[in-house]
Amino acid sequence: MITIWYRDRSIQDIIKKHTDQDVLSTVLKHVELSSDAMKSVRDCIKNYAEKGESDVIFNTCKRVERFERDGDVISRAEIDRLSSSKLSAVARHDLMDLLFKIEGLLGAIKSTSDSIALLCNAEVSKNVSKKVLDGFLLIANLDVEITENMIDAVKEFLKNPSQAKVISNNVSNIESKIDNEYIKVLKIILSEGKTLDPSTFYILIRILEWLEDVADNAEDVADSLRTIIASEFGR
């Protein structure tokens, strides 16, 4: 009980009192960048399915790259500040772990974007079925929902840790839905494999895997947040 009280005070001090090390603000900004990046990926998939405007898609992918780069900059700066802070080693570890996992989330989103850009390459066949693209769009929408849930969870983090935990748990529920959709779309891609050239087939598989990785990384962020809530707030 004494350890829980000490760590509870430690985590609240950095977020509430150490305004020069506003971790909560950094985490929130990073998650918001992830959400914006995922919405851009969804827009790319929708554009490819409906219009196939390669220039628009390439420009949107470039925007995702900027989101990922901006997230890396703010995260690294915060980690440097945490490294020299007076926090307990455990509190520093928990907060750094959360920031690193958000970096992983943004990285998975960027990799999805990069794969979609490959699909728009003139040398790649455009013979992708509506079923596959509809499946991609459904998963992308669920990935957007996950990132929006993470924003809500971070906002509730200090105000209402119990509610933040509930929202984080919902991330796991959405991730399970994505796992189910992943299997459905994978079966479609495999069944249509003979009608696709090898490069298109490979890229479609990679896009699907990265879309699932986005959800997996979001769940890792939620797990990290739940760990902090349980250990620092005793809830």
Side-chain angles (χ1 to χ4, degrees), residues 47-190:
N47 187 296
Y48 184 90
E50 296 178 355
K51 301 177 183 179
E53 298 172 329
S54 296
D55 290 344
V56 174
I57 295 172
F58 287 142
N59 288 334
T60 305
C61 290
K62 286 291 184 181
R63 188 162 67 242
V64 173
E65 183 178 341
R66 290 194 297 272
F67 286 141
E68 195 264 349
R69 186 169 59 248
D70 291 346
D72 184 65
V73 169
I74 63 173
S75 179
R76 294 295 174 177
E78 194 59 49
I79 288 170
D80 286 344
R81 287 195 291 269
L82 281 172
S83 299
S84 59
S85 73
K86 296 181 180 180
L87 290 174
S88 68
V90 175
R92 281 199 305 271
H93 173 273
D94 287 347
L95 292 168
M96 286 183 180
D97 182 64
L98 178 60
L99 289 168
F100 280 130
K101 285 178 177 175
I102 299 173
E103 279 191 30
L105 172 59
L106 253 176
I109 294 171
K110 180 182 179 296
S111 293
T112 309
S113 173
D114 291 343
S115 296
I116 294 170
L118 282 176
L119 194 62
C120 292
N121 191 293
E123 298 177 0
V124 174
S125 169
K126 298 296 189 294
N127 187 28
V128 181
S129 75
K130 185 175 184 300
K131 287 183 179 179
V132 171
L133 295 174
D134 285 348
F136 284 170
L137 189 56
L138 176 58
I139 296 175
N141 278 320
L142 289 170
D143 280 337
V144 169
E145 185 179 349
I146 276 185
T147 59
E148 290 176 338
N149 269 255
M150 290 311 308
I151 291 173
D152 291 340
V154 173
K155 287 180 177 178
E156 291 291 337
F157 183 48
L158 260 187
K159 294 188 298 181
N160 188 346
S162 295
Q163 182 60 23
K165 184 178 179 181
V166 170
I167 297 171
S168 296
N169 288 339
N170 191 47
V171 169
S172 297
N173 296 332
I174 301 172
E175 195 273 339
S176 295
K177 292 180 182 178
I178 290 174
D179 284 343
N180 293 332
E181 295 302 324
Y182 169 87
I183 296 299
K184 293 178 183 178
V185 180
L186 179 61
K187 288 180 178 178
I188 295 172
I189 295 174
L190 293 175

